[in-house]
Amino acid sequence: MIPDSRMPSNRPLRRGAARPLAAACGLAMACLAACGTSAPTPSPAATTTATPTAAISVSPSASQAPSANPNFSIVPVPTSRFATPGPASATLDATTGAALKQALDAIRTSGRYPGVSAAILYPDGSIWTGQSGLAILSSKTPVTADTLFSVGSISKTFVSAMAGRLAARGTISLDDPLSKYVPTFPNAANISLRQLLNHTSGIKDLFANLSPAILSHPSQVWTADRVLAGVGTPYFSPGTNYHYSNTNYVLLGMAIEQATGQPLATLIRSEFLTPLGLNHTFYQVTEQATDPEAHAYLTPASAPLDKWPGQTMIPFTAEVTAVGPAGAYVSNATDLARWANALYGGVVLDQATLASMVDISPTMAMKAKPSFPYGLGFEETTVAGQLAWGHRGHLDGFWSAMEYLAASHVTIVVLTNAEWADPVGAAATLANVVFRPAPVASASSH
């Protein structure tokens, strides 16, 4: 697995000894260089749709107090508290839709991606979706609106939101020691759930030691206990520095299950996916996806390599089951756009919890600063000059970006099945189309 930090960005990287997602994706790919490749297949043109979607309503007079009721009302977050000024609004029309279609095709062609899927959710609830290229090269299966992609570390946003909601109810505290829920983990009494969420626990990333074993048996199923047994010594003492580690979210999943007595995937489905109508999002470890899936493609771009055809999980079973809550979800672009809009738009979490989630100050105060400022399961960046909230995702052969432009309330999602892809750059390209100035009509001559 190539480190996520190698993905090009449209903003200068904040330097530090550790980079977000770099540790997350430590599988050594050198062993893949000798493997055979297949020639890329020409891809069909992009398709687009522009359909209205009902906005999710919230009560402006709802109480902010935590409640044991799973359906308790949530106060919308005044985004202006966190966002810098930006365009007040954006609208979808036929001209913009056609330009987005053209841009998406250009992204795929210039990047030599096998396939790409994108969705843009506008403030008025209308949504543009576009697909370009192929989900599976060998069968020339096109990417459609229903095609599922591995979304990698975007999975962490579901886990962190679940932790935030449970904390708001009083079921857990983010400052609880890990030992309260997973007492057998080394030094658990000195590690808080908050430190797991923002990667300041010091716990070593699971891929650092386990990559060879994961790669050597791609169809093998891993358990959380087996992962934790092989993690190794920590990077540093809890709370003293920053280092991205998927192991943190494996432990968070275990803590949430211990606190609630329910499987994490069941909670996320009942609390978020079902109420929001996200019917194309699945936790591969325990849920069977019902939509077609894209295959993962490794380098070189000139002859993409489908390393794991025929797997029951994408990109492959060993990687998916080892990473678990940290990266095992698959989804489509539309579902993720609706998810980001609900999460960062204040529908999912109360104001105080969301403010805590997007607070990057603890990690940016560390010696090893994240190159993408990090909160609680949250990355901050800029997209086309606008402050963006969300997360990137990467597992071998898949790259994704889910970005909520906080000032303009526009959500952009890009999913690809190319190891070499730049989804944040692609999101910026699409954003430039969304916010391009309207043409000025020429004055009539008399």
Side-chain angles (χ1 to χ4, degrees):
M1 188 188 299
I2 299 296
D4 289 27
S5 60
R6 288 182 49 180
M7 183 183 75
S9 169
N10 64 315
R11 65 176 288 160
L13 293 181
R14 299 177 187 254
R15 299 294 176 181
R19 297 183 175 193
L21 305 182
C25 305
L27 288 181
M29 298 303 296
C31 64
L32 304 179
C35 299
T37 61
S38 58
T41 305
S43 302
T47 60
T48 66
T49 61
T51 55
T53 180
I56 302 169
S57 62
V58 292
S59 171
S61 60
S63 170
Q64 297 182 41
S67 168
N69 182 350
N71 298 313
F72 72 96
S73 298
I74 299 173
V75 176
V77 171
T79 309
S80 59
R81 286 188 58 199
F82 315 112
T84 55
S89 64
T91 57
L92 177 61
D93 55 31
T95 300
T96 302
L100 287 168
K101 175 182 184 294
Q102 184 178 20
L104 190 68
D105 268 334
I107 287 167
R108 179 187 58 80
T109 302
S110 62
R112 306 175 79 176
Y113 305 158
V116 61
S117 182
I120 300 175
L121 183 59
Y122 284 75
D124 64 0
S126 60
I127 188 165
W128 173 88
T129 63
Q131 306 84 41
S132 183
L134 298 177
I136 305 174
L137 294 177
S138 60
S139 62
K140 299 184 179 180
T141 302
V143 176
T144 69
D146 292 333
T147 301
L148 301 180
F149 291 74
S150 164
V151 302
S153 289
I154 292 176
S155 304
K156 292 179 175 67
T157 65
F158 295 112
V159 180
S160 61
M162 192 70 253
R165 180 167 279 192
L166 292 173
R169 291 180 186 158
T171 305
I172 64 172
S173 167
L174 299 188
D175 296 313
D176 282 342
L178 177 60
S179 58
K180 184 174 180 179
Y181 308 103
V182 190
T184 58
F185 189 78
N187 201 30
N190 296 312
I191 300 168
S192 71
L193 300 187
R194 190 182 303 276
Q195 289 166 346
L196 297 177
L197 284 161
N198 68 9
H199 302 290
T200 59
S201 70
I203 298 170
K204 199 165 192 177
D205 183 72
L206 63 94
F207 289 114
N209 288 345
L210 300 177
S211 294
I214 292 170
L215 274 173
S216 61
H217 300 285
S219 297
Q220 194 168 78
V221 173
W222 284 66
T223 65
D225 287 340
R226 182 183 177 190
V227 167
L228 296 181
V231 165
T233 57
Y235 295 119
F236 47 78
S237 298
T240 63
N241 213 336
Y242 172 92
H243 198 295
Y244 194 97
S245 173
N246 283 289
T247 315
N248 289 322
Y249 279 72
V250 174
L251 286 163
L252 276 168
M254 296 174 70
I256 289 172
E257 291 184 341
Q258 179 64 31
T260 62
Q262 297 185 61
L264 177 63
T266 300
L267 283 169
I268 289 173
R269 182 155 300 282
S270 63
E271 296 275 348
F272 304 141
L273 303 185
T274 297
L276 294 172
L278 308 182
N279 301 320
H280 305 277
T281 302
F282 304 92
Y283 183 63
Q284 294 185 90
V285 177
T286 58
E287 297 178 337
Q288 180 64 52
T290 58
D291 299 299
E293 296 177 327
H295 282 199
Y297 290 94
L298 305 177
T299 53
S302 58
L305 172 63
D306 187 350
K307 174 69 176 175
W308 303 285
Q311 286 284 311
T312 58
M313 303 181 194
I314 56 174
F316 60 98
T317 300
E319 185 171 51
V320 171
T321 55
V323 77
Y329 273 90
V330 292
S331 190
N332 66 12
T334 300
D335 266 21
L336 290 185
R338 289 173 173 155
W339 167 243
N341 179 69
L343 177 59
Y344 304 120
V347 174
V348 171
L349 300 174
D350 64 84
Q351 179 176 321
T353 304
L354 181 55
S356 179
M357 174 177 284
V358 304
D359 182 6
I360 60 173
S361 60
T363 58
M364 296 308 293
M366 298 297 175
K367 181 179 180 181
K369 296 174 175 57
S371 47
F372 278 60
Y374 208 90
L376 305 181
F378 162 91
E379 285 184 337
E380 180 181 295
T381 187
T382 55
V383 172
Q386 293 195 49
L387 179 69
W389 296 348
H391 216 293
R392 297 166 299 153
H394 175 235
L395 286 183
D396 282 300
F398 290 99
W399 269 107
S400 54
M402 181 184 77
E403 305 295 347
Y404 175 81
L405 308 187
S408 55
H409 308 282
V410 169
T411 303
I412 302 178
V413 172
V414 177
L415 308 177
T416 74
N417 56 345
E419 178 65 29
W420 58 95
D422 175 9
V424 176
T429 297
L430 296 177
N432 284 327
V433 174
V434 171
F435 297 109
R436 68 181 180 180
V440 177
S442 60
S444 301
S445 58
H446 296 283

